Amino acid sequence: MTTHSGSDYCENTKRNTMRLALWTFAWLISMALVNFGPTLLWGENVTLTWVAVVVNLLFGLVMIWANKVYLMSTDELQQRIQLQAMGITLGIGLVGGLAYANLDTTNLISGDAEIAHLVMLMGFTYIVALIASVRQYQ
Amino acid sequence: MKNRLKVLRAERDWTQADLADRLSVSRQTINAIEKGKFDPSLPLAFKAARLFNLRIEDIFQDDVDEPS
């Protein structure tokens, strides 16, 4: 069980949630910079593109750390809810992602399999699984 | 697992939020425990026992019938 000092559970969780939200936002902005920077901001400058890629990677690593801190600060029920949601998301992502890749390699779909579709599937699955898990314990 | 958290809380005129605050967990967790939808870990059960100055078995009871 995660232990907290006295009555600061809510404050601690709020602080860690806010930190996670900020780093997620920073990571998203850096992702947009990598994708749109070369065409809209700095053109053919490869050095700036490399800097944007490295910054995106670093922000992503900090976001993962912030997520770990957030999860460790939640109580045992919240951790179980997150575990259930993430487990379902991982399973659906793995099975769905590989099935989608199979459709591409066997040419059963006309276009190429896009990683963005997998990310959208995992995001949607996580939200639905999280809501279902929360309702399970209400 | 059955428990007497709701009764013990009511005796002290505490809200779920008050108890959650004292046990350093979320109000949702207290609600789930009281409704029997979630069994607390042993450390949390010990913490509740210390808070109410009772033994764990005075708060939490196994709902499996004992063989006669």
Side-chain angles (χ1 to χ4, degrees):
Chain A
M1 188 185 77
T2 308
T3 55
H4 306 277
S5 55
S7 62
D8 61 349
Y9 174 79
C10 286
E11 285 302 315
N12 201 28
T13 305
K14 271 183 198 169
R15 190 170 55 247
N16 289 321
T17 305
M18 187 55 70
R19 183 195 290 129
L20 176 59
L22 285 173
W23 280 110
T24 303
F25 182 72
W27 176 74
L28 278 173
I29 293 295
S30 69
M31 181 68 80
L33 206 60
V34 171
N35 282 281
F36 300 113
T39 50
L40 299 176
L41 295 175
W42 58 77
E44 300 288 315
N45 192 328
V46 178
T47 306
L48 281 178
T49 304
W50 268 109
V51 169
V53 168
V54 171
V55 166
N56 172 245
L57 188 63
L58 289 175
F59 280 11
L61 290 174
V62 178
M63 179 183 69
I64 293 169
W65 165 79
N67 192 33
K68 179 180 177 290
V69 171
Y70 163 75
L71 287 172
M72 294 307 292
S73 73
T74 58
D75 68 26
E76 55 196 60
L77 176 60
Q78 307 300 328
Q79 286 180 2
R80 179 180 287 194
I81 288 169
Q82 290 287 340
L83 180 66
Q84 286 180 195
M86 289 190 292
I88 292 168
T89 303
L90 179 64
I92 297 280
L94 186 70
V95 173
L98 289 176
Y100 184 45
N102 285 340
L103 292 178
D104 185 14
T105 53
T106 54
N107 291 321
L108 286 174
I109 53 173
S110 54
D112 291 331
E114 297 287 342
I115 190 73
H117 294 161
L118 178 61
V119 174
M120 284 191 285
L121 172 70
M122 292 179 75
F124 179 74
T125 305
Y126 176 72
I127 290 168
V128 172
L130 193 63
I131 291 170
S133 296
V134 167
R135 288 176 67 95
Q136 183 185 343
Y137 294 105
Q138 277 181 340
Chain B
M1 191 164 67
K2 292 180 291 187
N3 67 80
R4 296 179 55 230
L5 272 190
K6 191 172 184 178
V7 174
L8 293 167
R9 180 170 62 76
E11 285 173 358
R12 287 154 182 80
D13 203 21
W14 290 346
T15 63
Q16 285 186 342
D18 292 333
L19 181 56
D21 199 39
R22 285 172 164 84
L23 292 176
S24 298
V25 295
S26 64
R27 191 197 59 76
Q28 288 80 4
T29 298
I30 297 300
N31 184 55
I33 294 172
E34 284 187 359
K35 287 187 171 179
K37 292 187 174 183
F38 176 68
D39 293 334
S41 67
L42 205 49
L44 182 55
F46 271 116
K47 202 169 183 179
R50 275 197 303 274
L51 178 66
F52 292 115
N53 203 22
L54 294 168
R55 296 177 303 169
I56 285 182
E57 55 266 38
D58 294 331
I59 304 174
F60 300 98
Q61 291 92 33
D62 192 358
D63 52 8
V64 176
D65 291 335
E66 293 290 331
S68 55

